[in-house]
Amino acid sequence: MEQVYWVIFGVLAFIVAGLVLTQAKEGGLVSGAGSQLQAFFALRNNYVFVYALMMAGDWLQGPYVYALYQHYGYDVKDIGRLFIAGFGSSMIFGTVVGSLADKHGRKKAALLYVITYAASCATKHSPDYGILMVGRLLGGIATSLLFSAFESWLVAEHFSRGFDEKWLGDTFSKAVFVGNGLMAILAGLVASYLVDSLKLGPVAPFDAAIVVLLAGGAVIYASWPENYGDHAHAAEGVLDVLRRQFAVAAGAIIGDQRIALLGAMQSLFEASMYTFVFLWTPALAPAGERIYHGMIFACFMTASMAGSSLSGILMKRYKVESYMKYVFGLSAVALAVPFLFHVSIADQPSSDSHRRSLQEATLAAGKEVVRGISLQGQMQLVAFCLFEVLVGVFWPSMMTLRARFIPEETRSTIINVFRIPLNFFVCVVLYNVHLFPLSSMFALCATFLAIACVLQIRLERLIRAGPPPGAPAAKAPPAEEEDPLLAGTAEKA
């Protein structure tokens, strides 16, 4: 294996260790003593454990979804339709089902996630295209529940117990560190062991995911109290509930510019992130170079862990709204790197013919040489790892901002509404990805992130100016000093 992967992985692991030690030394976001602190730790640890199991159930499937469809003999076009169905289901059905969590209970919605995703995994045993399509539809619904019901349950439970708002950042940071970092790496190793070492076939990781999901569901059933966003209108039917929930959510988004800006930034960032997931492989190996996907995945997840650790430090030192513009701006720069490299390569048309001639000459000599990652690929890999660090910062920071401004009674509904444009964009990208150059897709992602940066600057100004007249009431954050980040002390972070 090429040394560059180990160098990048080693540097990232060293950064993670340093950030974890820094957090331990500074004491994190939580301080104090007494029974309330112990109660908070009990809630935090329970949520992080459950979230880790739920994410492990998701990560176990990731490496082998495409491979399983190929194993059943489906071509790229058929597989593309399955992926589009998943995102389309999340956009339409997932939004509806997720929105019902505010009325019928977030705990019930979390258990529905377990059942729906486990059923989706069970469909992978059939090679029938129709059954696989049903599995993708169920998976889309489950994804919407994963990214709305769990967060909504935690925020409601956190504030109902009278905990400090700042402590939410600590829970989100640790949940992302464990669930999106450690669990991702561990799930990848387990999935690879089941398929490659035990030779159980590409469906084995999905069976393992069912076991993990059911275990997490048992913990939820036994230890989570139920909470609701809407306690009124108990006699309403489902259609009336949905109509009212979406009307209230639309009113909140239109009536409070801060919520609208949060939704726009979330959609722009996540749309770029999901598009990146589909594009990083061809970007690193545009001429069929040999790259080590498992090692690259480990680098990405370690980078995400570094970001989630960094977010805890940043939230302790600065206001979230003061540093998020840098997160969006640096993300735009990171995803612009492939566009810049492809522009330079396009100016040298002779390179392709020279490469083909070299390969033909080598084949004629009876020796096929498979090239490793190029210098441009290595530089892009570093940029992609930077982007993953920023993804790790984004999640807990955005969750903290949403907890501050999104009204409790329609929290799940609004979060799912935010996901509609991003799912629509990903569907469009998947359907038309063959029509556009790779560099153009990365340029579009960088543009989206640059727009998000501008919107974040606007949000920061609105927050400093205070809530606009007539805006929905939001839980005020504790008073802090003037933002030192803007005073030139960001180097300490």
Side-chain angles (χ1 to χ4, degrees), residues 93-305:
F93 304 115
T95 301
V96 172
V97 174
S99 300
L100 292 173
D102 289 322
K103 174 65 179 177
H104 297 285
R106 281 74 178 265
K107 175 182 177 178
K108 294 184 183 71
L111 291 172
L112 180 61
Y113 162 80
V114 172
I115 295 170
T116 306
Y117 221 6
S120 174
C121 292
T123 63
K124 302 301 188 292
H125 280 275
S126 173
D128 182 79
Y129 194 79
I131 294 178
L132 293 174
M133 182 65 74
V134 171
R136 290 300 300 177
L137 296 176
L138 291 173
I141 294 172
T143 300
S144 289
L145 291 169
L146 174 62
F147 291 110
S148 60
F150 289 86
E151 178 182 336
S152 298
W153 179 89
L154 173 66
V155 173
E157 206 62 30
H158 182 95
F159 286 129
S160 70
R161 301 185 188 190
F163 298 144
D164 192 323
E165 179 187 316
K166 269 192 170 183
W167 295 0
L168 260 179
D170 181 75
T171 303
F172 286 138
S173 176
K174 286 179 170 56
V176 172
F177 182 88
V178 177
N180 290 12
L182 286 177
M183 285 298 107
I185 296 174
L186 181 60
L189 293 174
V190 171
S192 178
Y193 178 74
L194 293 173
V195 175
D196 300 325
S197 300
L198 297 183
K199 308 296 182 184
L200 297 178
V203 77
F206 298 91
D207 293 335
I210 294 175
V211 174
V212 172
L213 289 168
L214 292 178
V219 177
I220 293 173
Y221 181 81
S223 64
W224 280 23
E226 185 62 276
N227 64 51
Y228 304 85
D230 183 8
H231 299 275
H233 309 93
E236 283 185 336
V238 173
L239 291 179
D240 292 331
V241 170
L242 288 173
R243 188 181 300 112
R244 182 175 48 77
Q245 287 286 98
F246 282 111
V248 174
I253 295 171
I254 295 172
D256 192 338
Q257 190 179 155
R258 298 167 302 179
I259 298 176
L261 289 170
L262 282 173
M265 290 185 294
Q266 175 185 321
S267 295
L268 290 167
F269 189 91
E270 291 191 44
S272 302
M273 181 185 69
Y274 284 118
T275 303
F276 163 76
V277 170
F278 296 110
L279 299 182
W280 69 262
T281 296
L284 296 179
E289 293 92 346
R290 182 181 183 183
I291 59 175
Y292 293 88
H293 293 81
M295 195 64 192
I296 292 173
F297 179 78
C299 290
F300 286 168
M301 293 304 100
T302 306
S304 178
M305 291 170 63

Side-chain angles (χ1 to χ4, degrees), residues 306-380:
S308 61
S309 298
L310 179 60
S311 70
I313 298 173
L314 290 174
M315 282 188 279
K316 181 177 176 62
R317 297 181 181 182
Y318 314 116
K319 296 178 180 179
V320 175
E321 61 270 17
S322 69
Y323 66 75
M324 282 300 290
K325 58 180 175 286
Y326 301 111
V327 172
F328 292 127
L330 288 173
S331 298
V333 172
L335 291 194
V337 169
F339 170 73
L340 299 175
F341 275 123
H342 279 77
V343 168
S344 64
I345 293 172
D347 294 335
Q348 300 174 2
S350 61
S351 60
D352 288 337
S353 58
H354 175 74
R355 182 177 63 250
R356 285 194 298 269
S357 299
L358 179 61
Q359 290 174 341
E360 290 170 0
T362 307
L363 288 171
K367 300 177 182 178
E368 182 175 2
V369 176
V370 180
R371 295 188 176 192
I373 188 170
S374 64
L375 177 60
Q376 285 96 340
Q378 294 176 25
M379 297 181 71
Q380 289 180 89

Side-chain angles (χ1 to χ4, degrees), residues 35 41 44 54 172 197 209 216 268-269 310 377 419 451 486:
S35 59
F41 286 144
R44 184 196 67 184
M54 299 300 101
F172 286 138
S197 300
L268 290 167
F269 189 91
L310 179 60
R419 293 182 60 82
I451 295 172
L486 301 177

